[in-house]
Amino acid sequence: MTVLRDSIPEFEFSVPVVIVGAGACGLTAALAARDQGADVIVLERDKRPWGSTSMSLGAICAVGSRSQRDNGVDDSAEIFVADVIAKTDGEADETLARRIGERSGPTVDWLTETHRIPLSVDFKWTGLGHSRPRLHLPPGRTGEELLSLLSNACARAGVEIMTEAYVTAIYADDNDRVLGVRIQRPGGVVENLGCDTLIIATCGYGGNHEMVARYIPEMANARYFGHEGNRGDGILWGVALGAAVREMSAYQGLGTLAEPQQVVVPHPLMIEGGFLVNAEGRRFTHELANISGMCVPVLAQPQGIAWVIFDEDRHQACLAHSVDQRQLEEVGAIRRAGSWEELERLCNLQPGSLSKENSEIESVRASGEQDRFGRRFDNTLPPLKAPFCAVRVTGALFHTQGGLLIDENARVLREDGSALPNLYAGGGAARSISGSRVTGYLPGAGLCMAVTLGALAGEDAARAALRSPA
Ligand SMILES: Cc1cc2nc3c(=O)[nH]c(=O)nc-3n(C[C@H](O)[C@H](O)[C@H](O)COP(=O)(O)OP(=O)(O)OC[C@H]3O[C@@H](n4cnc5c(N)ncnc54)[C@H](O)[C@@H]3O)c2cc1C
């Protein structure tokens, strides 16, 4: 991924705002730029926009939204900042966290009210680092639906999305001003497009094995379960232009990716009383302590795998609201048994292991005490009862959290704090609010950074472009 400063071509076409990447960040940025009256084009390498956004659950963390207020949730930027700081052990950038706390709710309201993308707060996902219910989902509760709602809104707003448009280089002058982009089209055709401002929405670098090995060595050999096309291109352009990066070792992981079927096991199964054991049938962690950080203890177990243990009642309850749970059933990932002994045999676990773990859980549930990992089992929930279920899982890298240093309007910054003349970044391409480790990731933060920074970038880039037309 290159920045070309010599032999700048004559741009036959030029657009005020060019956006690279048609995920949640790129499409939200496009809507915001159109709202300001700017012409905008989104360039997407794939045949149809998909991205990590479509692979996600579509749960966006947002603070102070109308949906929260209508449901009696009392939330504020201050409360959010305190949650972020607690989750990251004080590592997250407080100024950025505050900005996100102030702008995420209005962004979700704007998407809902102006662009007909209905997002409402979900009460199933509580806790896990959020002291208030903050996850906002579309009605169908999938990232795929979120992306198609955004795409439809873009079509209504007159945003052009050019697919099969792989940006391979950017052109810049000696003052680091971006002049345009080089696009590889099908059949090896190369096109050049000029711009007044460029928004990088190419997500992180999870699909770039060299970068993962360099910045996140603990996940160098782990499965990457994000969008393969996210190879850090935008981060590399920014750095080549002189931008600074932050928290490159941060990432969102998951300890419960069905292996080998590669379907995400819904976390509510464990919130509702399920638990994890290793290949020997022994529990090894507090299952609710950290969803993202769970990949590390799971990968450290024998064979790098674990089993999620739950029951048929929880499975049925989860089926009602989770596409992933339906997929687990469809691909035959769920093993079922009428007794703990039978489940141990089916999963090749040590005889007596599951019944022993379950008895220990039942006794701490009855006493209200914490178990040996510090987990408290909610005694208002019924105990697991036969038929029992198990899914074999492993740990995976979902998406990276480090990226380009940005200011309060998502303008990309150099190490000395000065802004590059006309470059913006958001979503997985920009730094996040997760600190430097896997444990700092708050559920919903990935899409929150995508839509909130996307909206800020789109608005500011459009204003800047309209101030200085080409
Ligand atoms: C399984 C899974 C579940 C998740 N669930 C959630 C969740 O519920 N809530 C949450 O907040 N986060 C979740 N995340 C994280 C979330 O999906 C991401 O943080 C978010 O989608 C990032 O949005 P984005 O627009 O930055 O990137 P993407 O949606 O990945 O979009 C980036 C786009 O850029 C394109 N691109 C890249 N390079 C180029 C190039 N050179 N030229 C042209 N196009 C290019 C890519 O093809 C891609 O379409 C999940 C992630 C995974 C993998």
Side-chain angles (χ1 to χ4, degrees):
M1 286 298 132
T2 347
V3 171
L4 302 170
R5 295 181 191 262
D6 299 323
S7 51
I8 307 293
E10 286 291 321
F11 295 109
E12 205 175 322
F13 294 104
S14 195
V15 181
V17 181
V18 169
I19 299 169
V20 190
C25 178
L27 298 184
T28 308
L31 291 172
R34 282 300 295 147
D35 278 11
Q36 294 300 313
D39 282 339
V40 50
I41 187 165
V42 184
L43 305 171
E44 168 55 51
R45 61 181 287 165
D46 290 345
K47 258 192 178 160
R48 76 174 168 118
W50 185 252
S52 285
T53 298
S54 294
M55 301 176 72
S56 78
L57 295 176
I60 308 171
C61 151
V63 181
S65 71
R66 182 179 298 271
S67 174
Q68 279 181 312
R69 284 196 302 281
D70 289 351
N71 284 284
V73 178
D74 152 43
D75 202 1
S76 69
E78 284 67 38
I79 300 171
F80 177 68
V81 171
D83 288 351
V84 170
I85 294 301
K87 183 80 177 162
T88 60
D89 294 329
E91 278 192 343
D93 182 79
E94 198 170 323
T95 308
L96 182 58
R98 185 168 304 283
R99 182 73 167 149
I100 298 298
E102 288 164 355
R103 297 305 309 162
S104 53
T107 300
V108 158
D109 292 348
W110 161 74
L111 287 172
T112 301
E113 289 157 20
T114 306
H115 290 289
R116 304 187 347 225
I117 300 171
L119 296 165
S120 55
V121 69
D122 182 290
F123 285 85
K124 281 212 165 46
W125 285 80
T126 51
L128 308 167
H130 289 294
S131 62
R132 301 289 188 277
R134 291 193 177 117
L135 296 198
H136 295 67
L137 284 104
R141 314 167 86 81
T142 66
E144 196 175 341
E145 181 193 29
L146 176 67
L147 196 82
S148 68
L149 287 165
L150 283 164
S151 303
N152 292 344
C154 282
R156 285 193 296 272
V159 172
E160 187 179 345
I161 302 174
M162 186 192 280
T163 55
E164 298 189 277
Y166 178 30
V167 178
T168 54
I170 63 178
Y171 298 103
D173 68 14
D174 290 340
N175 298 319
D176 307 323
R177 173 173 288 279
V178 177
L179 303 172
V181 296
R182 186 173 73 185
I183 310 165
Q184 194 174 301
R185 303 282 285 150
V189 176
V190 171
E191 292 173 12
N192 295 309
L193 178 69
C195 65
D196 293 332
T197 53
L198 182 72
I199 300 177
I200 293 178
T202 49
C203 204
Y205 59 88
N208 181 326
H209 303 299
E210 261 172 41
M211 287 179 81
V212 172
R214 174 170 169 209
Y215 292 113
I216 317 177
E218 70 194 26
M219 296 305 275
N221 298 315
R223 209 181 267 285
Y224 169 55
F225 192 66
H227 182 57
E228 279 297 335
N230 294 342
R231 306 213 170 133
D233 297 352
I235 297 175
L236 295 172
W237 294 322
V239 169
L241 273 175
V245 290
R246 288 289 185 275
E247 294 114 9
M248 291 296 280
S249 55
Y251 65 100
Q252 181 196 7
L254 182 85
T256 53
L257 182 68
E259 171 70 19
Q261 298 86 355
Q262 291 210 60
V263 178
V264 176
V265 178
H267 210 67
L269 286 176
M270 278 181 294
I271 298 176
E272 301 287 320
F275 60 93
L276 275 174
V277 295
N278 65 14
E280 289 157 3
R282 296 283 296 158
R283 280 185 68 214
F284 53 91
T285 189
H286 176 340
E287 292 84 352
L288 306 184
N290 198 300
I291 305 190
S292 172
M294 189 65 65
C295 59
V296 176
V298 167
L299 286 169
Q301 298 308 303
Q303 305 158 41
I305 64 110
W307 293 88
V308 182
I309 308 295
F310 51 103
D311 66 8
E312 185 63 27
D313 285 352
R314 277 141 175 107
H315 165 65
Q316 292 298 335
C318 203
L319 271 184
H321 58 80
S322 165
V323 173
D324 288 331
Q325 192 70 17
R326 289 198 284 280
Q327 278 181 2
L328 286 172
E329 184 76 292
E330 283 160 15
V331 299
I334 304 175
R335 301 192 190 185
R336 286 187 172 77
S339 67
W340 288 123
E341 293 70 25
E342 194 190 340
L343 196 63
E344 287 156 7
R345 269 197 308 279
L346 271 181
C347 303
N348 207 17
L349 306 176
Q350 282 180 8
S353 54
L354 290 181
S355 54
K356 181 166 181 288
E357 291 294 359
N358 189 58
S359 311
E360 279 184 29
I361 288 171
E362 286 320 311
S363 70
V364 289
R365 189 202 304 281
S367 69
E369 300 287 309
Q370 290 183 350
D371 67 12
R372 62 190 194 274
F373 304 107
R375 178 172 173 186
R376 230 179 264 283
F377 281 82
D378 183 349
N379 57 18
T380 64
L381 295 170
L384 299 188
K385 75 172 200 306
F388 301 117
C389 304
V391 176
R392 188 178 192 267
V393 294
T394 189
L397 167 63
F398 263 22
H399 66 127
T400 56
Q401 288 285 289
L404 297 167
L405 182 63
I406 47 164
D407 72 4
E408 74 283 359
N409 286 325
R411 290 191 310 168
V412 176
L413 302 178
R414 301 183 182 91
E415 199 57 65
D416 66 5
S418 62
L420 288 163
N422 60 349
L423 188 68
Y424 295 77
R431 86 182 297 190
S432 189
I433 49 171
S434 302
S436 67
R437 288 168 292 148
V438 62
T439 46
Y441 182 79
L442 271 172
L447 287 169
C448 172
M449 300 305 282
V451 299
T452 311
L453 293 177
L456 290 166
E459 191 176 323
D460 205 67
R463 286 194 182 140
L466 293 170
R467 273 197 304 271
S468 60

